[in-house]
């Protein structure tokens, strides 16, 4: 059974961080060990929230306890999402090092959360530096959106060729695999959006309708599903197709519901049995 250590935020109300990613992975049959970096009432997009930001030492203590169960060797991947500062970044990297020492085949999947095309960079100015210089070089798989890819590499990818070149620049930093979400190349058909997956010299892209929806946590679900499928299949085409199918159905269900929060539980069949309704095309 695939086992993933997921070091992310947690909210009681709604679905972001571990609250978004754990259940879809479990629905796929993945064993998930969540370690929470915050314990908030709700995500910060509401403008008000309650609950503690976990001290990096407390997060490290939880991870140490897992190690004391001699369980690091069972872990196939470590996943991280939003990183609020250098302290938690160092804690995550130490966990990755410990897991890889116990299981050299384990991977580190990093979602380098920094911002998006609409909002720009919404994290502290130190975070992109932390990700670029210390975190991403240790990652095996990264899952940025197109904006974050550019921010990470100091490029401005727009066309497919520019985006592929930016992926190559990111891979030169350390990761062998990249999933690029929210690809908005100028020559795409109106009302569509794309997702691109690359590994070494291989690259695949898939296009879907662009749903008029801002859904906090959708990136966390996307990273979790792609990592899970990639660990199982090592097929870019299959992993990308299954991930896009499930995430699209989740977003469409959420849009139809009229609710702000992801309809994560209601969409559970889409994770376990993705419809594979979109064509996945090789571009390199």
């Amino acid at each position: 059974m695939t086992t993933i250590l997921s070091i992310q935020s947690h909210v009681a109300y709604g679905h972001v961080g571990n609250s978004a990613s754990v259940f879809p992975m479990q629905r796929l049959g993945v064993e998930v060990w969540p370690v929470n970096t915050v314990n908030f009432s709700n995500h910060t997009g509401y403008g008000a929230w309650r609950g503690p930001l976990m001290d990096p030492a407390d997060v490290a203590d939880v991870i140490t306890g897992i190690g004391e169960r001699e369980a690091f060797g069972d872990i196939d991947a470590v996943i991280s999402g939003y990183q609020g500062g250098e302290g938690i970044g160092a804690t995550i990297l130490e966990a990755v090092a410990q897991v890889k020492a116990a299981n050299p085949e384990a991977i580190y999947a990093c979602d380098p959360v920094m911002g998006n095309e609409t909002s720009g960079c919404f994290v502290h100015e130190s975070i992109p530096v932390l990700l670029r210089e210390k975190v991403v070089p240790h990652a095996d798989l990264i899952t940025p959106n197109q904006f974050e890819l550019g921010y990470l590499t100091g490029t401005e990818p727009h066309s497919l060729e520019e985006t592929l070149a930016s992926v190559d620049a990111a891979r030169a930093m350390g990761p062998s695999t990249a999933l690029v979400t929210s690809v908005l190349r100028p020559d795409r058909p109106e009302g569509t959006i794309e997702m691109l997956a690359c590994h070494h010299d291989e690259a695949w892209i898939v296009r879907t309708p662009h749903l008029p929806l801002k859904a906090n946590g959708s990136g966390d679900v996307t990273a979790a599903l792609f990592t899970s499928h990639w660990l199982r299949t090592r097929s870019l085409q299959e992993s990308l197709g299954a991930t896009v199918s499930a995430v699209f159905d989740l977003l469409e269900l959420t849009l139809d519901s009229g609710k702000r929060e992801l309809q994560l539980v209601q969409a559970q069949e889409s994770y376990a049995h993705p419809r594979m309704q979109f064509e996945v095309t090789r571009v390199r």
Side-chain angles (χ1 to χ4, degrees):
M1 179 178 292
T2 300
T3 300
I4 291 179
L5 177 66
S6 183
I7 310 173
Q8 301 192 63
S9 60
H10 169 81
V11 296
Y13 175 83
H15 301 290
V16 299
N18 274 336
S19 305
S21 61
V22 170
F23 176 67
M25 289 191 287
Q26 290 174 329
R27 193 66 180 82
L28 280 175
V30 174
E31 179 71 43
V32 188
W33 299 341
V35 176
N36 299 328
T37 57
V38 310
N39 188 19
F40 287 168
S41 56
N42 51 270
H43 68 70
T44 58
Y46 285 96
W49 64 94
R50 294 179 181 271
L53 177 71
M54 306 302 290
D55 188 288
D58 291 330
V59 176
D61 205 32
V62 172
I63 296 168
T64 296
I66 297 173
E68 290 171 345
R69 305 285 76 75
E70 299 183 352
F72 285 157
D74 297 329
I75 297 172
D76 298 294
V78 178
I79 289 182
S80 70
Y82 169 72
Q83 299 188 17
E86 291 192 20
I88 195 63
T91 297
I92 292 169
L93 290 180
E94 177 60 24
V96 170
Q98 291 174 327
V99 167
K100 288 193 171 190
N103 178 14
E105 298 300 314
I107 69 169
Y108 172 34
C110 171
D111 186 5
V113 178
M114 290 179 283
N116 55 57
E117 187 69 27
T118 302
S119 304
C121 184
F122 51 61
V123 298
H124 188 272
E125 60 185 13
S126 65
I127 299 302
V129 178
L130 169 69
L131 291 169
R132 187 182 302 119
E133 297 182 358
K134 297 183 178 181
V135 177
V136 169
H138 291 279
D140 302 286
L141 164 63
I142 56 172
T143 56
N145 59 41
Q146 189 179 33
F147 171 84
E148 290 165 337
L149 175 66
Y151 217 78
L152 191 65
T153 57
T155 60
E156 295 184 3
H158 297 290
S159 68
L160 177 59
E161 292 73 20
E162 291 169 343
T163 304
L164 287 169
S166 295
V167 167
D168 291 340
R171 288 181 49 250
M173 299 166 65
S176 59
T177 310
L179 175 72
V180 186
T181 64
S182 301
V183 176
L184 300 168
R185 52 174 166 164
D187 59 340
R188 73 189 189 282
E190 185 177 356
T192 64
I193 192 169
E194 294 170 313
M195 198 178 296
L196 173 72
C198 305
H199 178 68
H200 295 313
D201 294 330
E202 181 184 356
W204 297 76
I205 199 165
V206 60
R207 177 183 298 153
T208 72
H210 191 179
L211 299 173
L213 175 70
K214 178 184 177 182
N216 295 88
S218 58
D220 301 320
V221 176
T222 301
L225 289 175
F226 183 82
T227 301
S228 300
H229 287 299
W230 177 245
L231 287 170
R232 180 178 59 85
T233 69
R234 297 294 175 165
S235 164
L236 281 182
Q237 182 181 17
E238 185 175 344
S239 299
L240 180 60
T243 299
V244 170
S245 174
V247 172
F248 181 85
D249 284 348
L250 167 63
L251 293 177
E252 188 172 51
L253 182 63
T254 301
L255 179 64
D256 292 344
S257 75
K259 298 182 182 297
R260 176 171 180 172
E261 294 290 346
L262 289 174
Q263 299 301 287
L264 194 79
V265 176
Q266 294 83 345
Q268 60 180 289
E269 284 303 311
S270 298
Y271 320 138
H273 306 289
R275 291 188 291 152
M276 306 298 283
Q277 68 269 45
F278 301 109
E279 181 180 0
V280 185
T281 304
R282 186 162 188 169
V283 291
R284 189 162 70 181

